[in-house]
Amino acid sequence: MRISVPTEVKNNEYRVALTPSGVHDLARSGHEVIVQSGAGAGSSMPDTEYADAGAVLVDDPAEVWARGELVMKVKEPIASEYAHFREDLTLFTYLHLAADRPLTERLMTSGVTAIAYETVQLAGGGLPLLAPMSEVAGRLAPLVGAHTLMRSQGGLGLLMSGVPGTRPARVTVIGGGVAGANAAVIASGMGADVTIFDTNIPRLRMLDDHFAGRVKTAASNPMDLGRAVIDSDLVIGSVLIPGARAPKLVTNAMVEQMRPGSVLVDIAVDQGGCFEDTHPTTHDDPTFAVHGSVFYCVANMPGAVPNTSTSALTNATLPYARAIAAGGWRQALAKDPALAVGLNVAAGAIVSAGVGAAHDLPVTPVDDLL
């Protein structure tokens, strides 16, 4: 199969879909891997490494897209890339369609087969292709939160750990999944006073055991969550419903009652965000003010550490890319129920229930397409 890897064009997106090692793995299996020149530069992976690994380097992005039967990306295509869509193309990337009606409609009208990393789901509920980026975003959130808490960044001027005789920052993490747990690891390691909220009591028990009392856990309900948010210096939103829009758990009224200079970091922004006032921002302009608090809602947080993120992503996606390349998407999905759940759009039809519900569109069962 011909596999293409274009350069990411989203604002400050330095990741690339495959490392040179990933290219080598696929090329060894007899596939032709076309990589756009400079695609890995932002991840500190130069063209020479891709060439040595067996990639065919191409300068023109239109040619990269046109030659690929399978196009692997990191972020969802933006409007300038829609012209590359065609009926015989399989697209394998993060899509987050529940929060993006224009892209959903364009994928449907073009006939592209679109498989989303974030909805590939194991039988036990695990999200193997979302997990590595959730780990990265979770670990970044307290770091960017701590930076934004500085007075020079609009924050209230609080050191996360405090110093002897002063209080540490109060951090509320909403959602105890992969991103939330990783956020708690870093925030507690920085000396903050951390509480994780989740509706899953067994998960809270596991987190309590894991952190051995260094992090508090709380069952999530509107009253207790609201009180905690209002009293927080830093709130990290990390709630995820696979394939669907994130629930709005932090209201404008809660934010209005927070201390001026408090910071809110929304990891769930790709899925619409779990704060009422969330809207996507960029690394160039990452924050905005709401009632005196500061929102950080960068939609591609892991893009800030692309060397780590690209390697972690390739480790996770490569087995699935091998399967699609070896037998085509229909055969790969028929053999792997986890990958089948990742199919969002095919033959002009919505396949993902979460995407269909978000846009009030009919859903075609995946078995009808296989």
Side-chain angles (χ1 to χ4, degrees):
M1 182 174 280
R2 295 186 305 278
I3 304 164
S4 285
V5 179
T7 300
E8 297 296 320
V9 294
K10 193 165 186 173
N11 177 275
N12 278 300
E13 181 51 73
Y14 299 113
R15 290 173 289 180
V16 60
L18 285 174
T19 62
S21 296
V23 169
H24 180 261
D25 184 288
L26 293 168
R28 266 184 67 190
S29 298
H31 306 295
E32 182 182 11
V33 186
I34 302 108
V35 176
Q36 187 175 341
S37 300
S43 294
S44 302
M45 299 173 185
D47 285 349
T48 53
E49 293 185 12
Y50 284 97
D52 291 345
V56 177
L57 293 171
V58 173
D59 292 330
D60 181 19
E63 183 181 350
V64 174
W65 279 84
R67 288 176 64 172
E69 299 167 272
L70 169 65
V71 168
M72 294 184 67
K73 281 177 47 59
V74 179
K75 291 303 294 178
E76 72 282 352
I78 63 172
S80 63
E81 296 175 296
Y82 292 178
H84 301 308
F85 294 171
R86 63 183 196 276
E87 190 172 331
D88 62 344
L89 176 67
T90 300
L91 178 64
F92 193 31
T93 186
Y94 289 115
L95 287 170
H96 302 290
L97 294 182
D100 194 339
R101 176 107 187 189
L103 176 57
T104 302
E105 292 177 343
R106 190 58 181 263
L107 289 171
M108 292 173 68
T109 57
S110 66
V112 169
T113 300
I115 304 170
Y117 294 159
E118 74 275 6
T119 60
V120 174
Q121 188 167 12
L122 302 173
L127 302 168
L129 305 189
L130 188 61
M133 295 304 96
S134 295
E135 290 168 343
V136 173
R139 293 184 179 217
L140 275 175
L143 301 180
V144 299
H147 179 70
T148 309
L149 276 170
M150 294 180 182
R151 191 63 184 164
S152 59
Q153 302 302 310
L156 57 85
L158 187 69
L159 182 64
M160 285 277 276
S161 61
V163 295
T166 72
R167 71 174 183 86
R170 297 187 186 98
V171 178
T172 294
V173 179
I174 308 174
V178 174
N182 276 273
V185 166
I186 301 303
S188 61
M190 296 172 77
D193 177 6
V194 182
T195 302
I196 302 178
F197 279 81
D198 203 290
T199 56
N200 186 332
I201 304 303
R203 177 67 177 177
L204 292 177
R205 288 196 182 101
M206 187 279 290
L207 291 169
D208 183 67
D209 289 342
H210 175 75
F211 286 106
R214 290 177 289 115
V215 168
K216 296 189 285 289
T217 61
S220 186
N221 61 74
M223 179 179 289
D224 290 338
L225 179 61
R227 288 171 176 165
V229 167
I230 291 166
D231 196 40
S232 294
D233 304 301
L234 171 61
V235 177
I236 296 172
S238 58
V239 177
L240 174 73
I241 301 173
R245 290 186 70 89
K248 300 293 188 181
L249 300 179
V250 175
T251 67
N252 183 278
M254 293 178 191
V255 176
E256 188 175 14
Q257 297 176 69
M258 296 178 73
R259 281 181 292 276
S262 300
V263 174
L264 299 95
V265 178
D266 199 341
I267 298 174
V269 59
D270 278 325
Q271 294 292 102
C274 54
F275 308 153
E276 182 179 351
D277 294 292
T278 286
H279 66 256
T281 62
T282 66
H283 291 287
D284 280 344
D285 188 15
T287 63
F288 58 93
V290 177
H291 295 307
S293 293
V294 185
F295 277 48
Y296 181 102
C297 302
V298 173
N300 57 329
M301 285 177 63
V305 286
N307 188 272
T308 297
S309 298
T310 291
S311 297
L313 182 61
T314 297
N315 291 342
T317 59
L318 190 57
Y320 295 98
R322 285 193 205 108
I324 296 170
W329 69 269
R330 283 189 173 84
Q331 180 177 308
L333 269 60
K335 288 183 176 180
D336 188 345
L339 187 58
V341 182
L343 185 63
N344 277 210
V345 180
I350 297 291
V351 183
S352 166
V355 175
H359 301 304
D360 195 25
L361 293 170
V363 175
T364 299
V366 65
D367 289 344
D368 290 0
L369 296 165
L370 299 181

